[in-house]
Amino acid sequence: IEGMKACLRLVNDISGINATLQSNHTMRCLDVEEGYGLLTPVVKIQLQISDSLELNHDYEDDLEVVGKEKVIQTQLHGGKRAELADLLGVTRSLYSDINPLHLPEVLALVGLHHGQEELY
């Protein structure tokens, strides 16, 4: 499972916003043994890796957009970030990385992409 965690960190490191932006945005394929059945931690990690690789593929012409999409989908979505943080053992708060002057823009992005309920 540690190897799978390392692969997930490679394509989407959620330990901080800067880490996510600096994750690998060019990898399109990673052959891993598919898990079946219950959503075990290994299967959840595999699904997250697949999601990240799909984003890399969808936005392959603009690596900056890939990074921003990963931040929006995994850092600014409370439920998704909590799940990933639990899987990867991340205990830092996302908001410790945000400059207070940028907080209104971040909150606007959260509301725009995930709805107002994500703000409460």
Side-chain angles (χ1 to χ4, degrees), residues 19-40:
T20 300
L21 291 172
Q22 294 171 359
S23 295
N24 183 299
H25 305 313
T26 58
M27 184 181 293
R28 308 276 183 271
C29 180
L30 179 64
D31 288 330
V32 294
E33 186 176 321
E34 292 293 326
Y36 298 100
L38 300 175
L39 284 178
T40 63

Side-chain angles (χ1 to χ4, degrees), residues 1-2 5 8-9 13-15 41 45 81-93:
I1 193 163
E2 292 304 315
K5 288 180 182 181
L8 179 53
R9 281 189 206 97
D13 185 349
I14 62 128
S15 63
I45 291 170
R81 186 174 195 292
E83 179 184 354
L84 285 168
D86 185 49
L87 285 172
L88 297 175
V90 173
T91 57
R92 287 183 51 203
S93 168

Side-chain angles (χ1 to χ4, degrees), residues 44-56 58 70 73-74 80:
K44 288 180 182 179
I45 291 170
Q46 289 171 337
L47 291 171
Q48 296 302 326
I49 291 170
S50 294
D51 288 348
S52 293
L53 294 176
E54 187 175 322
L55 282 173
N56 288 356
D58 290 348
K70 287 180 182 178
Q73 290 187 19
T74 60
K80 177 75 88 171

Side-chain angles (χ1 to χ4, degrees), residues 68-102:
K68 288 178 181 179
E69 269 306 308
K70 287 180 182 178
V71 168
I72 289 167
Q73 290 187 19
T74 60
Q75 292 282 9
L76 300 181
H77 187 280
K80 177 75 88 171
R81 186 174 195 292
E83 179 184 354
L84 285 168
D86 185 49
L87 285 172
L88 297 175
V90 173
T91 57
R92 287 183 51 203
S93 168
L94 148 76
Y95 297 103
S96 64
D97 280 353
I98 299 173
N99 180 324
L101 296 176
H102 297 221

